[in-house]
């Protein structure tokens, strides 16, 4: 049996009996992500490709790295680091009761800011199964991500998209789901976060 790999391609201690997922049809639109050359599977996207998406306002930290918004995001990142160090937190949720309040924008920029430290591993897992936006903002494949992993059609190491020059893995939703609460309450989703 093969060893399990996390989204960074590191081997874990547990053994996996899962078979490789079947190859899925490629989307006709041109995605920025390309197959990874490393041993971790998945795909890789260049940070320069993300920065070149000038028409995407959600990538503030790449377009204006010294701007007011980027500074605010880095301050939030510093507070999160304090919580991690003092209280042992490893996962954080960005949420609000209303749609279109900037949750995805804040999450993307926070992940990019936290991943500026090359010694820190950062994973951004999108869990907005009703209105996913991460894939379209970053130009990533829309069918790749959390749902295929939870349904057993893909491994985390294959579904994650690594950002070059940062220790960052992006995991979009992989599609919409009619009952998001069911997905969020599932044991497989909880296991994905640990």
């Amino acid at each position: 049996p093969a060893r399990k790999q996390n989204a960074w391609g590191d081997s874990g201690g547990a053994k996996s009996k899962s078979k490789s997922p079947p190859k899925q049809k490629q989307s006709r639109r041109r995605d920025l992500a390309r197959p990874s050359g490393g041993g971790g599977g998945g795909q890789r996207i260049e940070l320069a490709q993300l920065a070149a998406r000038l028409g995407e306002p959600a990538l503030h930290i790449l377009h204006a790295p010294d701007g007011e918004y980027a500074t605010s995001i880095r301050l939030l990142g510093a507070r999160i680091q304090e919580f991690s160090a003092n209280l042992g937190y490893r996962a954080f949720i960005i949420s609000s009761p209303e749609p279109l309040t900037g949750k995805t924008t804040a999450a993307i920029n926070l992940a990019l800011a936290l991943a500026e430290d090359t010694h820190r591993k950062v994973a951004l897992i999108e869990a907005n199964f009703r209105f996913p936006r991460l894939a379209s903002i970053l130009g990533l494949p829309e069918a790749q991500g959390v749902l295929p992993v939870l349904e057993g059609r893909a491994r985390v190491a294959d579904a994650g998209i690594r950002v070059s020059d940062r220790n960052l893995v992006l995991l979009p939703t992989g599609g919409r789901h009619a009952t998001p609460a069911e997905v969020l309450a599932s044991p497989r989703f909880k296991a994905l976060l640990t």
Side-chain angles (χ1 to χ4, degrees), residues 60-79:
H60 294 288
I61 203 159
L62 297 178
H63 298 152
D66 297 323
E68 184 178 337
Y69 185 82
T71 301
S72 297
I73 286 292
R74 287 189 183 97
L75 287 173
L76 176 60
R79 293 293 303 186

Side-chain angles (χ1 to χ4, degrees), residues 2-194:
R3 288 186 155 252
K4 278 188 178 180
Q5 290 185 335
N6 62 21
W8 290 273
D10 300 335
S11 294
K15 303 280 183 181
S16 171
K17 294 183 181 180
S18 64
K19 296 179 181 175
S20 297
K23 290 187 178 180
Q24 295 182 2
K25 292 182 181 177
Q26 292 275 340
S27 170
R28 287 187 182 181
R29 72 185 191 108
R30 184 173 169 256
D31 295 313
L32 293 178
R34 60 179 169 75
S36 172
Q43 293 182 327
R44 210 176 261 288
I45 188 169
E46 301 291 328
L47 188 61
Q49 288 175 296
L50 292 178
R53 293 181 62 81
L54 296 175
E56 183 49 66
L59 299 173
H60 294 288
I61 203 159
L62 297 178
H63 298 152
D66 297 323
E68 184 178 337
Y69 185 82
T71 301
S72 297
I73 286 292
R74 287 189 183 97
L75 287 173
L76 176 60
R79 293 293 303 186
I80 287 174
Q81 290 172 3
E82 287 179 33
F83 282 124
S84 294
N86 296 334
L87 302 172
Y89 295 149
R90 295 184 55 211
F92 299 89
I93 296 172
I94 297 176
S95 181
S96 80
E98 300 293 324
L100 301 172
T101 56
K103 297 176 293 289
T104 303
T105 298
I108 290 169
N109 286 283
L110 183 59
L112 287 165
L114 289 172
E116 288 175 344
D117 178 353
T118 57
H119 300 292
R120 180 181 301 117
K121 292 180 178 181
V122 178
L124 174 57
I125 302 172
E126 183 180 33
N128 185 353
F129 297 103
R130 195 164 303 195
F131 303 110
R133 292 192 57 235
L134 184 63
S136 64
I137 288 171
L138 300 177
L140 301 175
E142 292 182 12
Q144 181 176 347
V146 175
L147 288 176
V149 169
L150 298 181
E151 293 168 354
R153 295 183 286 126
R155 297 177 316 138
V156 174
D158 295 330
I161 298 166
R162 298 182 69 178
V163 177
S164 67
D165 303 330
R166 302 275 168 109
N167 215 354
L168 173 61
V169 174
L170 305 168
L171 195 61
T173 60
R176 293 176 182 245
H177 197 279
T179 53
E182 182 181 301
V183 177
L184 297 172
S186 73
R188 293 188 86 168
F189 183 77
K190 291 176 183 175
L192 178 68
L193 297 180
T194 57

